[in-house]
Amino acid sequence: MIQRMSSEYFSQICAPHLRLIYLQLDKVLEEAHLKEQQTLTQDDINQEELRIDFNCDGQDLHSNVILIRHALAWHNYIKRVYNIQGNIYSYQLMDPPLHKYGLWQCESMKKIIHEIDFSIVYVSPLQRTVQSAQLLFKDHPNKDKIKFILQPLCSERLANHFQMYKWGRLEELKKTNGNPIQFDLSLIDSEFWQFKLLGIEKYIQGLKPDSDSQNQLMVDNFIKQGARFFAETKENTFKRSLQLKELIKQQKGRVGVISHSQFITAFITNKKVKNGSMYGIQI
């Protein structure tokens, strides 16, 4: 019997041209995890293929706003090594954590981060940005003086399932035990914060904030359609960046923003940014 919501099941309900990819997906993910476990040092990694750099030095870090793109996450790795793009759904790759190489990037980045005296840091609520913030700031010399805010405005443009917040993570974020930094969660009112932010509550009518409902949402609106889950335009992402700039203008001291490629590109006008890169901008 085929397990419901498995890749094999998806291969039977997806668009015909995607069936072979779905049939191979579980094997690809298994192989990728094995490779991660076998990699011993940074010298074993093709940094050019992955479009990352372990020597993170940043640009214009004297500015009052420091934009930080999260380190390498699992979907970045799968896309670049196996060419699995955003039109192929996997619950594993929804709101993914950092890859091991991303953890190594954070170790390099934090040496520079620790030299910057932040007063407030806005963090996208997605898992890879939260994890990047925790790793970058857990040993920051002024950590206790910095206010860390989970800020929906700087979340990634919702254009495929990689960018969708995985429902059920809110309770974990609320826990103080084991979290290296404590976030202000006042702007996250429910597991459906992302859909409310974008005004697309129509997608979540009658759904529960759990994995079964989220999988069914993707089956109905994504897999059967055979296309990306485009729920936000570039123009709307740009509007969010302007809203965040207005908030930043009200702050005193140095402000950090830990976010994503498309949001940072909108924020600093079409500048392409690598995973684990840092850019200063004066506002």
Side-chain angles (χ1 to χ4, degrees):
M1 178 185 244
I2 296 174
Q3 184 179 357
R4 185 169 171 78
M5 302 304 176
S6 67
S7 295
E8 188 175 358
Y9 169 69
F10 295 157
S11 74
Q12 297 188 357
I13 63 173
C14 71
H17 68 285
L18 299 177
R19 284 176 183 163
L20 182 59
I21 300 175
Y22 273 113
L23 287 171
Q24 298 172 338
L25 184 58
D26 287 341
K27 184 177 180 180
V28 165
L29 294 174
E30 181 180 359
E31 179 182 306
H33 282 287
L34 287 173
K35 279 187 177 181
E36 182 191 41
Q37 295 169 18
Q38 293 166 358
T39 303
L40 300 178
T41 70
Q42 295 179 11
D43 293 334
D44 300 324
I45 301 169
N46 186 337
Q47 296 183 46
E48 184 176 350
E49 177 187 33
L50 292 175
R51 285 176 262 162
I52 60 173
D53 188 348
F54 289 113
N55 298 316
C56 306
D57 53 6
Q59 296 181 19
D60 300 320
L61 299 185
H62 59 279
S63 306
N64 72 323
V65 180
I66 308 298
L67 297 161
I68 305 165
R69 185 183 176 191
H70 64 82
L72 187 81
W74 260 100
H75 71 298
N76 302 129
Y77 179 85
I78 294 295
K79 285 168 64 178
R80 295 166 193 173
V81 176
Y82 295 96
N83 197 32
I84 300 295
Q85 299 301 315
N87 61 340
I88 302 297
Y89 175 66
S90 165
Y91 188 71
Q92 281 190 55
L93 298 178
M94 176 189 287
D95 191 8
L98 297 181
H99 191 276
K100 181 168 78 172
Y101 305 164
L103 306 183
W104 289 350
Q105 279 189 294
C106 287
E107 281 299 308
S108 176
M109 294 166 65
K110 74 178 185 180
K111 298 171 186 176
I112 298 173
I113 293 293
H114 288 187
E115 296 176 357
I116 303 174
D117 188 16
F118 292 95
S119 61
I120 187 169
V121 177
Y122 294 116
V123 183
S124 160
L126 298 184
Q127 186 171 190
R128 52 195 180 273
T129 36
V130 168
Q131 194 175 1
S132 293
Q134 291 171 330
L135 292 169
L136 292 174
F137 285 93
K138 65 179 181 179
D139 301 317
H140 193 287
N142 296 325
K143 180 182 71 173
D144 294 338
K145 297 179 181 178
I146 302 171
K147 189 171 186 179
F148 298 95
I149 299 178
L150 288 192
Q151 175 54 267
L153 287 175
C154 66
S155 59
E156 183 59 304
R157 177 189 172 212
L158 184 52
N160 59 54
H161 70 289
F162 301 145
Q163 328 304 355
M164 187 181 293
Y165 169 84
K166 188 173 282 183
W167 301 342
R169 289 183 46 239
L170 190 54
E171 287 305 312
E172 187 66 29
L173 289 170
K174 288 179 180 178
K175 295 178 181 178
T176 57
N177 184 30
N179 283 334
I181 59 176
Q182 301 306 312
F183 294 104
D184 180 337
L185 302 173
S186 59
L187 299 176
I188 310 295
D189 61 351
S190 76
E191 298 286 359
F192 295 136
W193 63 265
Q194 195 173 32
F195 287 77
K196 294 179 180 179
L197 171 72
L198 302 177
I200 52 173
E201 292 94 332
K202 63 180 181 180
Y203 287 109
I204 56 174
Q205 294 300 316
L207 296 184
K208 298 178 181 179
D210 56 33
S211 59
D212 288 342
S213 293
Q214 198 162 23
N215 265 317
Q216 191 61 54
L217 169 72
M218 299 311 293
V219 167
D220 294 339
N221 296 282
F222 180 86
I223 298 173
K224 291 180 179 179
Q225 307 301 323
R228 293 174 183 267
F229 186 78
F230 280 114
E232 183 180 19
T233 63
K234 290 183 179 180
E235 290 74 19
N236 194 72
T237 306
F238 180 69
K239 288 179 182 178
R240 289 197 282 117
S241 75
L242 294 179
Q243 289 178 274
L244 185 60
K245 285 181 180 179
E246 289 303 312
L247 280 178
I248 290 173
K249 289 177 182 178
Q250 301 170 26
Q251 306 301 325
K252 296 180 180 180
R254 196 76 67 87
V255 176
V257 179
I258 303 181
S259 188
H260 311 262
S261 174
Q262 293 188 64
F263 182 84
I264 294 176
T265 296
F267 197 96
I268 54 179
T269 315
N270 296 322
K271 186 177 182 67
K272 295 293 184 180
V273 293
K274 290 184 177 181
N275 293 107
S277 56
M278 297 173 279
Y279 298 89
I281 182 172
Q282 198 68 28
I283 293 181

